[in-house]
């Protein structure tokens, strides 16, 4: 009779996971998700390169033929004045 009462007692118990196991699994899951988080950084503004020159022949309105030749050469290489380079 004792075997029958033990079997009936086992069948009446819940067969789920113990509460402490659920807590450990929950904590482990949270720790893994926290470890996998990647910090987000703001994009840095791109600095535009500047070319400076000193000229003794031109003025602010008429910069001379050499500067125009420099600008044309930079345009041929794909640079756009004011967009990706400043003279």
């Amino acid at each position: 009779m004792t075997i029958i009462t033990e079997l009936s007692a086992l069948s009446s118990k819940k067969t789920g996971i113990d509460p402490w196991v659920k807590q450990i699994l929950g904590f482990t899951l949270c720790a893994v998700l926290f470890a996998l988080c990647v910090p987000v950084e703001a994009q840095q503004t791109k600095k535009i390169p500047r070319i400076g020159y000193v000229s003794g022949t031109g003025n602010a309105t008429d910069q001379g033929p050499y500067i125009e030749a420099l600008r044309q050469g930079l345009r041929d290489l794909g640079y756009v004045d004011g967009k990706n380079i400043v003279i």
Side-chain angles (χ1 to χ4, degrees), residues 4-86:
I4 295 174
T5 55
E6 288 179 17
L7 288 176
S8 65
L10 287 175
S11 65
S12 65
K13 283 186 179 179
K14 289 186 177 180
T15 58
I17 300 174
D18 290 333
W20 63 273
V21 174
K22 287 182 182 180
Q23 288 178 352
I24 291 174
L25 288 176
F27 177 75
T28 305
L29 178 65
C30 289
V32 168
L33 290 176
F34 181 73
L36 293 177
C37 291
V38 178
V40 178
E41 296 179 9
Q43 293 180 354
Q44 299 293 327
T45 57
K46 191 173 182 180
K47 292 184 179 180
I48 298 175
R50 295 174 183 245
I51 298 177
Y53 67 94
V54 177
S55 174
T57 59
N59 58 25
T61 57
D62 183 25
Q63 297 175 351
Y66 298 115
I67 299 303
E68 285 303 316
L70 174 67
R71 287 184 182 191
Q72 183 59 44
L74 289 172
R75 274 188 232 115
D76 293 342
L77 292 174
Y79 291 100
V80 178
D81 191 20
K83 186 173 183 179
N84 54 11
I85 197 162
V86 176

